[in-house]
Amino acid sequence: MPDLPVPGLPVVIEAASAHLGATRYARGLVSGLLQLPLEVRPRLTLVVAPGQTYFSERRQKVRVVTLARDPRSAAGQRELSQAVRQLAPAVLHCTSPLFGNPHVKVPLVTTLQSLGPLIVNDPVMPAASRRAFLRAVTRTVKASRALIVASRYLSDDTARLFPAAADKLSVIPQAADDFVMGEKQTMPDLMHRLPPTQFFLAMGNPRAHKSLPVALHAFGRFFQLASALPGFDAQACPRLLLIGKDRPGYLKAQLTGPSLDMIHFTGPVKDEELRWFYAHTLAFIAPSSHESSGLSPLEAASFATPVLAAHAGSLPEIFGEDAQAGAAYFTPDDPEELALLLLRIARDQDFVDKLSAAAYHSAERFTWRASAEATLALYHHVSAT
């Protein structure tokens, strides 16, 4: 018996960004949309970049169209526009800012992940890249019928920097339940090369708005405080692992002293390895002073991992600020406060247990299905206006 046609709004999701946050977002959103009842579920087509192997019809159970060219190029933009015209959806949803104008006559919804490079002067980001990003966001605000952001914090920043966006913004939180339910956890090879000690975890993104030096200096101070305690054993002291690639000379430019030997970049990690890191770390450190979506802290919290977060950006909004807050906060750009929290994590199991439970309960409040329901309602709104 042939398959019956699937009802629902035809939607194209452009998931061709090279940005990890946009890829994670697209994956989570699609998983949420596919959880919706068949009678309301949209008819989805994913448009992906050449060589982008994560999205496939086998994984997502949706139609996948792979572009032949990078969508950030002029030729790639023309190819994207042609694909959308052929698919004739009711809505086109781009998961990151536009680096060109898709010449299509369907309502455009765009998700903004962060405006950090426009808020914090970043010496790592070339001036030309910053200007290109500014042009992309400006183009996105003008071309989009609706803009999705993950937090009120990012919504306020977007409206402040781009007044024309104010009436187009919808706050739809992100989630981590799809990531947590992944197939398995695999211990990375790195752990076989290190002494069998515990570790703290942070993202190794050196962009200025991520405030990585705060975590590094805090760990250096933690090591100093721990080494002054009776019975200190450097070999048994927790280490600091940073998810991502090492930049030659970066750590030595930020920190000196014996704690340097206790800090390690993981290199690129697969999802199953990242799940292992989240599940086995003493605590996840989120030092960013301009965190827009809080996706990495949410992922960690979903594994009942204690979260130590700067009281800044969207994190108090996501994890709360009352007695049941899902994170322990420190003053932004204050490594001394963070160092004391690291020391408490290492020595106070009652504190760890309480924070672990609070983090898990905070993460439980967010699901991709709920985000998908809100996003689908927005699709229907823009397609009808």
Side-chain angles (χ1 to χ4, degrees):
M1 181 176 180
D3 292 337
L4 295 175
V6 178
L9 196 72
V11 174
V12 169
I13 297 180
E14 181 270 308
S17 174
H19 185 266
L20 179 60
T23 301
R24 288 279 178 87
Y25 168 77
R27 179 185 64 193
L29 176 61
V30 169
S31 74
L33 290 168
L34 293 179
Q35 293 176 45
L36 299 180
L38 188 62
E39 61 269 21
V40 300
R41 187 186 307 167
R43 285 182 282 141
L44 293 177
T45 301
L46 290 179
V47 177
V48 303
Q52 190 175 11
T53 58
Y54 181 83
F55 296 104
S56 70
E57 294 183 8
R58 179 182 62 83
R59 286 175 181 260
Q60 277 76 28
K61 308 300 182 186
V62 297
R63 183 179 182 184
V64 177
V65 174
T66 301
L67 301 178
R69 300 174 181 83
D70 187 331
R72 292 169 295 182
S73 68
Q77 281 294 310
R78 289 194 295 271
E79 188 181 2
L80 172 62
S81 300
Q82 182 179 9
V84 173
R85 285 195 294 269
Q86 291 175 346
L87 293 165
V91 175
L92 168 63
H93 183 175
C94 291
T95 59
S96 60
L98 305 172
F99 283 85
N101 269 323
H103 299 288
V104 294
K105 296 181 179 180
V106 299
L108 175 65
V109 174
T110 309
T111 298
L112 298 178
Q113 302 291 340
S114 173
L115 295 180
L118 302 181
I119 297 171
V120 180
N121 184 36
D122 190 350
V124 175
M125 188 175 193
S129 298
R130 188 175 185 274
R131 289 193 296 270
F133 182 65
L134 175 59
R135 289 194 298 270
V137 178
T138 302
R139 182 183 298 115
T140 297
V141 169
K142 182 178 180 180
S144 300
R145 187 79 59 85
L147 299 164
I148 296 175
V149 291
S151 64
R152 293 190 302 274
Y153 168 78
L154 181 53
S155 178
D156 291 344
D157 269 351
T158 305
R160 176 174 56 84
L161 294 175
F162 302 92
D167 295 332
K168 301 180 179 183
L169 288 161
S170 291
V171 176
I172 302 178
Q174 298 184 16
D177 51 321
D178 70 311
F179 183 78
V180 176
M181 297 303 292
E183 296 177 359
K184 58 184 177 179
Q185 297 177 21
T186 301
M187 187 171 77
D189 289 340
L190 169 70
M191 302 312 296
H192 296 290
R193 302 195 298 270
L194 297 177
T197 57
Q198 296 177 305
F199 60 92
F200 301 109
L201 187 68
M203 290 296 165
N205 189 336
R207 290 288 172 83
H209 66 284
K210 293 297 185 179
S211 306
L212 180 57
V214 175
L216 299 177
H217 295 144
F219 181 78
R221 178 60 174 152
F222 157 78
F223 187 84
Q224 184 181 39
L225 293 169
S227 63
L229 296 174
F232 173 76
D233 180 358
Q235 288 300 310
C237 184
R239 295 170 181 265
L240 174 62
L241 302 187
L242 304 173
I243 301 294
K245 293 182 180 180
D246 188 6
R247 297 172 62 89
Y250 179 78
L251 290 179
K252 288 184 178 180
Q254 300 293 334
L255 204 61
T256 59
S259 62
L260 263 178
D261 295 332
M262 307 290 286
I263 303 174
H264 311 273
F265 279 92
T266 64
V269 298
K270 300 176 182 178
D271 281 355
E272 54 266 31
E273 293 172 327
L274 184 55
R275 281 190 278 270
W276 189 93
F277 280 124
Y278 282 142
H280 290 84
T281 185
L282 286 170
F284 182 81
I285 304 169
S288 176
S289 58
H290 290 278
E291 184 62 52
S292 299
S293 66
L295 186 55
S296 294
L298 267 179
E299 289 175 346
S302 296
F303 286 90
T305 294
V307 174
L308 310 179
H311 192 273
S314 65
L315 296 180
E317 177 184 337
I318 293 168
F319 287 98
E321 299 186 80
D322 57 15
Q324 284 74 46
Y329 297 110
F330 57 91
T331 302
D333 301 323
D334 190 337
E336 184 71 21
E337 277 192 30
L338 176 54
L340 294 175
L341 284 173
L342 294 175
L343 193 64
R344 190 174 179 187
I345 288 285
R347 305 185 71 200
D348 186 344
Q349 189 60 47
D350 288 342
F351 176 63
V352 170
D353 292 344
K354 179 181 177 181
L355 195 53
S356 172
Y360 183 76
H361 290 314
S362 287
E364 275 191 318
R365 296 188 295 111
F366 300 95
T367 67
W368 277 116
R369 175 161 180 165
S371 298
E373 288 172 346
T375 303
L376 180 58
L378 185 63
Y379 291 161
H380 280 287
H381 174 73
V382 299
S383 67
T385 56

